[in-house]
Amino acid sequence: MRRCYLVCYDVRNDKRLRRIHKLMKAYGEPWQYSVFYCTLKAIDRVRLENAAREILNLKEDQLLIVDLGSNEEAAREAATTLGPAPPQQEGGVVVI
Amino acid sequence: MDGTYWPCRGVAEHAYCPRLFYYMTVEGVFLPSADTELGAGVHTRVDQPSEAPPTLEGNGRSGRSKKKVEKLEESDSDSDRPLSVRSLALTSDQLGLTAKLDLAEINGTTAIPVEYRKGRPKRCGEVSEPVDEMMEQGRLLPGPEPWPTDRVQIGLQAILLEEAGYTVPEAYCYYAAERLKLRIPVDDSLKCEALAELEAAKRTAAGERPPPLVNDPKCPRCSLQPICLPDEINQQRFTTLAANGEPADEQLTPRKLWPPRDEGIHVVIQKEGVRVGVRGQSVRITDKDGGIVRDLPLANVESLAVLGGVQVSTQALAVFADHEVPVAYLTAAGRLVAMMDPMGPTSAAVRAAQVRVLDRPEKALELARAVTVAKIANQRTLLMRNHAALPSRVAADLQDSIAAAERATTMNELRGHEGNAAAIYFRHFAGMFKEGVKEIAVRFESSGRQRRPPPDPVNAVLSFAYSMLTNECTAAARLASLEPALGALHATRPGRPALALDLMEPFRPLIADSIAVSAFNRGELTEGHFLDTAAGCALTDAGRKGFFSAYGRRMDTEVTHPVFEYRLSYRRMLMLHARLIAAWLLGEVPSLAFLTTK
């Protein structure tokens, strides 16, 4: 079962910041500059943590994962935005 | 098996489950799961190789490392602190054994191996806390102890270290989940245990793949479960045993071991001139002018199908291969041209068995018969469910076809019954369309089922759906280590995925035909979604979009397996059946049964 997560980070160094941003784009959609919304399988959540641990300096930086549960609709509805809405992503089959 | 070195890790797995050992070490099949990735995470932190230890024989390796070691020794010379060596590789020619030690603490000629585990140690019984303060002490419970597999691994490591000339008085196992380091005394019983397991593993490797464990609590968390199918295979084995009058007290309904559904998005790209690339690990789809159409996180992409003139960059292909995302190339009309699938772990034993078994006419007939019977049964069900006024004879006729197919003794006879049933089925196919789509139904009725070129919308959708299903079945066959080109009912022809077509037969009515019927009946596809050309009737871009959304929904529909009694989506049902074919080819299950619905 995929679960939804909100992942945020504070990174004190530009190089690591860019690397972590690039990494996060592999796992979720950017809602804000350092706030990502991810729908992850259990295995990908572990992979994300492992990869982030490699990049971050754990003495200075912080990565925060908030579990939003397994209901994708509820997870999206849990967010209220003022200003432009975050991008909407569809599930199932994406036809382009 | 001379010249083979068995990894310590593998032998330890043998203690856990001989079948797991056979899959991973002998066949080289592996499936990562969250647990294995967690273990890998623990080990990347542990596995940074350190300098080589000073060799006891005194012949140092490369000059550089020797210098470093000397320097280390100098700084350590006044303290008694042992030298920690990470990722120490050891090999024994005599035992045919090799190992990479997580950590060895080497002090002179004494070495202490330390093994890292991501999980927890074994505990017998529950930890009880004193309920009230009057009680002097809680009940004495056995403390944490290492798992048998860990004992085997540590034992083998100790033997390897001793063979390299060290004395090994004790060993440690570190359990990361509890930050607990357990001491294991290295004595004769430990070494005997380890050597016995090594011998047992060698014996297992020389034979056939061992049967799955029966109703074992280890199976649910095992990452190989979707390949190994312990409960499904045992269920089929014991059912047949019982049917033959042999004692089989294990009446098993498979536990629902299939990992929960965690499918992401399936991407279909059909717009001319679109490009697929990767930026880091995210998939970027750009249009002709370089504008970004969509950015998709790679972790969410499950498969990619590319129709017609779409560019996929080499870098993107490499990334897809790395993440085991299959990429299918189809023509604009939906014919499967090629498939990129990663050189993942495929089991040679399965392919060898496929060649051997399908070479025997009676076995090939058995497979062909099973798929044909299931297909006709499903055709019959679909008609009976959806046809407004089905002539009463039709159901009976199809039932006769099923019975005749079951009795067929040659492949040609079987194909005859299959064709016969198909003729009856398609003659009444148009009756499944509702009042509002009469025009389309009439066009189909007048032409019947025709393939090249499809003359009317219904035929066009059927052909398109069969192509997409072929692509899914080919992917499922490869996942199960089967050779798609070598089939039973379908003869081998150049470029034809015969086995995938065999696997697809029972699913044609359930998936493809049902999509055609429901998409028209619901008005998702109408006459306007099709273009009549000299090359036949074709879907427009909008029509294809409608088709793919209906297709995606159908593949995600969950159905209950009639025998195993659990629910799986059609897509996963295809994988399950591909793997059951593989199990049948290897002789693990005695008979084949394909999905039929009621």
Side-chain angles (χ1 to χ4, degrees):
Chain A
M1 189 68 81
R2 282 179 183 260
R3 287 183 79 83
C4 306
Y5 300 95
L6 195 71
V7 183
C8 328
Y9 50 81
D10 268 344
V11 176
R12 305 287 170 92
N13 165 296
D14 277 353
K15 192 173 164 190
R16 295 199 298 270
L17 181 67
R18 276 193 298 275
R19 289 179 65 196
I20 208 82
H21 187 77
K22 201 168 170 184
L23 170 79
M24 283 311 303
K25 279 203 288 189
Y27 290 94
E29 0 168 342
W31 274 7
Q32 288 184 357
Y33 286 119
S34 61
V35 179
F36 281 73
Y37 172 82
C38 311
T39 318
L40 298 177
K41 292 186 265 193
I43 187 170
D44 284 323
R45 192 206 146 136
V46 176
R47 282 178 176 157
L48 167 64
E49 277 183 47
N50 283 349
R53 210 174 267 124
E54 294 273 292
I55 296 171
L56 296 174
N57 177 347
L58 296 179
K59 292 196 181 78
E60 295 183 1
D61 309 334
Q62 188 190 48
L63 183 118
L64 176 70
I65 301 179
V66 183
D67 189 336
L68 301 175
S70 58
N71 183 334
E72 289 192 35
E73 262 170 59
R76 282 181 188 276
E77 275 169 22
T80 310
T81 34
L82 305 182
Q88 192 70 43
Q89 196 182 304
E90 57 275 76
V93 176
V94 175
V95 186
I96 292 158
Chain B
M1 282 243 153
D2 36 356
T4 313
Y5 292 100
W6 296 107
C8 259
R9 190 72 242 267
V11 177
E13 268 146 14
H14 187 271
Y16 186 78
C17 167
R19 191 170 162 93
L20 178 77
F21 160 79
Y22 201 90
Y23 269 121
M24 295 196 18
T25 313
V26 182
E27 292 185 47
V29 173
F30 178 66
L31 205 66
S33 76
D35 285 331
T36 64
E37 287 290 309
L38 213 55
V42 170
H43 276 91
T44 45
R45 271 165 277 154
V46 176
D47 278 351
Q48 307 287 348
S50 51
E51 292 300 332
T55 42
L56 290 175
E57 292 81 14
N59 47 350
R61 292 174 200 178
S62 71
R64 212 181 105 250
S65 75
K66 200 179 171 189
K67 223 196 228 158
K68 276 270 178 68
V69 169
E70 278 166 8
K71 224 164 104 191
L72 264 174
E73 275 184 335
E74 262 166 31
S75 63
D76 283 349
S77 57
D78 33 27
S79 73
D80 281 342
R81 275 183 51 212
L83 174 65
S84 295
V85 183
R86 285 171 188 278
S87 267
L88 175 64
L90 291 171
T91 299
S92 161
D93 291 320
Q94 197 198 329
L95 291 170
L97 188 68
T98 171
K100 205 168 98 181
L101 275 58
D102 290 338
L103 181 74
E105 286 169 358
I106 293 172
N107 195 357
T109 59
T110 316
I112 299 167
V114 183
E115 180 62 24
Y116 280 73
R117 282 283 173 271
K118 65 122 188 138
R120 299 170 185 286
K122 180 182 175 188
R123 280 178 206 279
C124 323
E126 284 160 57
V127 183
S128 78
E129 282 161 33
V131 233
D132 60 326
E133 311 211 334
M134 296 304 285
M135 229 158 97
E136 280 164 18
Q137 214 174 2
R139 270 173 301 136
L140 263 181
L141 284 167
E145 51 175 299
W147 296 96
T149 52
D150 299 339
R151 281 182 61 87
V152 169
Q153 192 163 358
I154 284 282
L156 290 172
Q157 290 179 355
I159 292 167
L160 282 173
L161 280 170
E162 282 185 353
E163 205 168 282
Y166 295 100
T167 37
V168 188
E170 55 181 3
Y172 286 95
C173 206
Y174 177 77
Y175 290 93
E178 290 187 6
R179 293 167 186 262
L180 190 70
K181 201 170 169 186
L182 289 183
R183 183 178 168 275
I184 304 168
V186 175
D187 49 23
D188 283 343
S189 78
L190 180 75
K191 283 187 264 184
C192 285
E193 206 179 307
L195 284 175
E197 203 59 51
L198 176 63
E199 284 313 308
K202 284 180 180 171
R203 272 198 305 278
T204 303
E208 286 186 0
R209 191 194 286 164
L213 303 175
V214 177
N215 226 339
D216 197 285
K218 285 180 290 210
C219 294
R221 295 280 315 248
C222 175
S223 77
L224 285 186
Q225 183 275 324
I227 294 178
C228 164
L229 300 175
D231 288 10
E232 288 81 352
I233 286 175
N234 283 329
Q235 198 269 353
Q236 301 258 299
R237 273 172 59 212
F238 293 129
T239 310
T240 318
L241 278 182
N244 295 343
E246 282 172 55
D249 44 356
E250 314 270 353
Q251 257 296 324
L252 292 172
T253 296
R255 295 165 285 180
K256 191 172 177 348
L257 291 191
W258 273 75
R261 242 174 114 154
D262 48 18
E263 282 198 46
I265 43 183
H266 297 263
V267 185
V268 180
I269 304 176
Q270 50 152 356
K271 204 189 270 171
E272 279 288 315
V274 164
R275 289 169 170 278
V276 182
V278 283
R279 306 267 300 181
Q281 303 259 289
S282 63
V283 182
R284 172 163 289 184
I285 298 157
T286 48
D287 60 19
K288 273 183 196 136
D289 317 314
I292 298 167
V293 180
R294 199 74 60 89
D295 260 332
L296 296 169
L298 184 65
N300 290 4
V301 177
E302 210 76 30
S303 77
L304 184 73
V306 173
L307 281 82
V310 172
Q311 307 296 318
V312 182
S313 76
T314 316
Q315 289 83 347
L317 276 180
V319 171
F320 289 137
D322 209 32
H323 287 75
E324 312 235 333
V325 175
V327 180
Y329 293 90
L330 298 96
T331 63
R335 189 172 60 83
L336 180 63
V337 180
M339 206 157 180
M340 191 282 297
D341 70 338
M343 293 289 292
T346 53
S347 160
V350 173
R351 290 201 180 193
Q354 187 184 356
V355 174
R356 273 199 312 271
V357 172
L358 293 184
D359 223 21
R360 289 159 55 192
E362 81 283 0
K363 293 300 265 184
L365 187 65
E366 201 181 322
L367 172 60
R369 204 187 286 133
V371 293
T372 311
V373 166
K375 177 198 184 180
I376 304 176
N378 287 333
Q379 286 177 331
R380 181 170 172 269
T381 309
L382 191 71
L383 275 184
M384 288 171 63
R385 250 199 230 159
N386 296 302
H387 201 291
L390 190 68
S392 54
R393 260 197 41 251
V394 176
D397 283 353
L398 285 173
Q399 194 63 55
D400 291 345
S401 292
I402 295 174
E406 266 169 354
R407 285 193 309 268
T409 49
T410 66
M411 196 66 89
N412 276 339
E413 196 189 333
L414 181 69
R415 288 190 184 122
H417 294 308
E418 192 241 327
N420 209 358
I424 302 174
Y425 172 68
F426 280 115
R427 203 176 306 137
H428 296 93
F429 193 85
M432 291 193 282
F433 293 104
K434 285 191 178 140
E435 279 305 311
V437 284
K438 265 284 161 281
E439 239 174 88
I440 288 169
V442 167
R443 272 188 72 184
F444 179 76
E445 204 147 28
S446 66
S447 45
R449 170 75 187 128
Q450 281 184 33
R451 297 186 301 149
R452 266 170 234 158
D456 62 290
V458 175
N459 269 309
V461 169
L462 285 179
S463 292
F464 207 87
Y466 291 155
S467 298
M468 290 308 294
L469 199 51
T470 312
N471 137 27
E472 304 259 359
C473 288
T474 310
R478 295 215 175 161
L479 266 180
S481 299
L482 294 164
E483 170 52 55
L486 190 66
L489 179 66
H490 292 82
T492 307
R493 274 207 220 130
R496 182 203 239 181
L499 187 79
L501 295 175
D502 284 355
L503 170 65
M504 174 172 140
E505 287 298 343
F507 292 96
R508 276 176 200 256
L510 296 177
I511 301 175
D513 301 355
S514 154
I515 292 172
V517 171
S518 63
F520 284 110
N521 279 349
R522 286 193 197 158
E524 282 174 295
L525 289 176
T526 60
E527 197 81 49
H529 286 122
F530 297 86
L531 267 179
D532 281 304
T533 66
C537 188
L539 282 144
T540 60
D541 268 10
R544 270 205 292 258
K545 276 212 162 155
F547 167 82
F548 278 118
S549 79
Y551 177 79
R553 242 184 294 121
R554 191 68 191 161
M555 287 310 268
D556 283 344
T557 304
E558 290 198 338
V559 276
T560 306
H561 195 284
V563 179
F564 303 147
E565 295 174 15
Y566 52 55
R567 290 166 76 77
L568 285 182
S569 70
Y570 274 117
R571 190 173 274 115
R572 280 149 60 98
M573 208 54 101
L574 286 176
M575 293 176 196
L576 170 69
H577 281 93
R579 286 185 168 135
L580 284 175
I581 293 181
W584 173 77
L585 290 167
L586 282 171
E588 291 184 337
V589 298
S591 64
L592 278 166
F594 286 91
L595 177 73
T596 52
T597 58
K598 286 190 203 97

